[in-house]
Amino acid sequence: MSTTTESAPQTEPRAGRRADRDTHFEVEQFYYEEAELLDDGRFTDWLDLLADDLDYWMPTRTNRLRRQQALSIAARGEAAFYEETKDSLAWRIRRFDSGMAWAEDPPSRTRHLVTNVVVRHIDPDEHAGFTDDDLVVRSAFLVYRNRLEREENIFAGGRTDVLRRTDSGLQVARRTILLDQNILQSKNISTFF
């Protein structure tokens, strides 16, 4: 008499793999909600989408020859448009509300468009402190900004985010923003990306 024992089904490791369609849809909806909050000027609500240990970084870039492309993006500790934490972003938002942020009085009108979203499960070996439930997301964005009668700016670029799954939903734990332009034509950069 032969006996067979059923074993628990083996699941493939998710680390580094593309997320399934439901997770992809969840991430896109998260980004659309984030864009709506930013465009509506609901910055305090936007902060709720950010993790307490947030790293929000937008390095500068320079034009380089092909052979020097590795040097075209500033490294950590070098020049950056933004190198922020959740606390420093909260301070900026409180300043907006204080009436002392002259560059945003009257406030800008913005439109955030997010596209080309690619979602992968985190590889914990590459991202210490995260699990394969967390996600690495690459996306492209276009942000239109209008202020006063004639000030218009268009910012285009890409983001690489680490989204942490929490009991209350997804949160941005890491965001690296890379603008396609290296010289900004805007008078200030008080827009969040």
Side-chain angles (χ1 to χ4, degrees), residues 50-70:
L50 309 179
D52 290 340
D53 63 341
L54 174 73
D55 177 45
Y56 186 91
W57 183 51
M58 182 192 289
T60 59
R61 68 187 316 167
T62 56
N63 291 327
R64 299 285 185 146
L65 298 172
R66 272 188 202 281
R67 67 180 178 270
Q68 296 176 318
Q69 282 302 297

Side-chain angles (χ1 to χ4, degrees), residues 103-123:
E104 279 301 311
D105 195 12
S108 297
R109 290 173 297 279
T110 62
R111 184 66 54 210
H112 289 71
L113 306 176
V114 181
T115 187
N116 297 22
V117 177
V118 178
V119 184
R120 295 188 181 280
H121 290 277
I122 286 243
D123 183 343

Side-chain angles (χ1 to χ4, degrees), residues 40-147:
D40 290 347
R42 296 170 50 201
F43 302 121
T44 303
D45 293 335
W46 174 65
L47 281 174
D48 292 337
L49 301 181
L50 309 179
D52 290 340
D53 63 341
L54 174 73
D55 177 45
Y56 186 91
W57 183 51
M58 182 192 289
T60 59
R61 68 187 316 167
T62 56
N63 291 327
R64 299 285 185 146
L65 298 172
R66 272 188 202 281
R67 67 180 178 270
Q68 296 176 318
Q69 282 302 297
L71 301 172
S72 68
I73 299 169
R76 286 288 182 163
E78 295 179 353
F81 294 113
Y82 285 107
E83 192 162 0
E84 305 283 348
T85 64
K86 185 174 182 176
D87 288 339
S88 65
L89 289 173
W91 179 86
R92 284 178 182 259
I93 290 166
R94 283 192 303 274
R95 190 168 168 266
F96 283 165
D97 294 338
S98 74
M100 297 304 291
W102 304 114
E104 279 301 311
D105 195 12
S108 297
R109 290 173 297 279
T110 62
R111 184 66 54 210
H112 289 71
L113 306 176
V114 181
T115 187
N116 297 22
V117 177
V118 178
V119 184
R120 295 188 181 280
H121 290 277
I122 286 243
D123 183 343
D125 294 336
E126 295 177 14
H127 297 274
F130 293 93
T131 71
D132 68 358
D133 274 342
D134 301 321
L135 305 164
V136 175
V137 184
R138 292 181 54 113
S139 62
F141 66 84
L142 186 70
V143 177
Y144 169 81
R145 175 181 175 226
N146 177 282
R147 186 171 176 273

Side-chain angles (χ1 to χ4, degrees), residues 126-193:
E126 295 177 14
H127 297 274
F130 293 93
T131 71
D132 68 358
D133 274 342
D134 301 321
L135 305 164
V136 175
V137 184
R138 292 181 54 113
S139 62
F141 66 84
L142 186 70
V143 177
Y144 169 81
R145 175 181 175 226
N146 177 282
R147 186 171 176 273
L148 301 173
E149 288 83 22
R150 293 188 175 89
E151 286 183 34
E152 287 185 310
N153 304 110
I154 296 176
F155 304 98
R159 299 186 309 199
T160 302
D161 290 344
V162 173
L163 301 182
R164 181 181 290 132
R165 191 170 294 286
T166 69
D167 292 339
S168 60
L170 296 173
Q171 286 189 324
V172 179
R174 308 283 179 269
R175 174 163 286 168
T176 300
I177 306 148
L178 189 58
L179 292 174
D180 289 335
Q181 57 264 64
N182 68 324
I183 296 176
L184 300 182
Q185 301 297 320
S186 62
K187 294 179 181 176
N188 62 51
I189 185 164
S190 54
T191 303
F192 299 119
F193 297 89

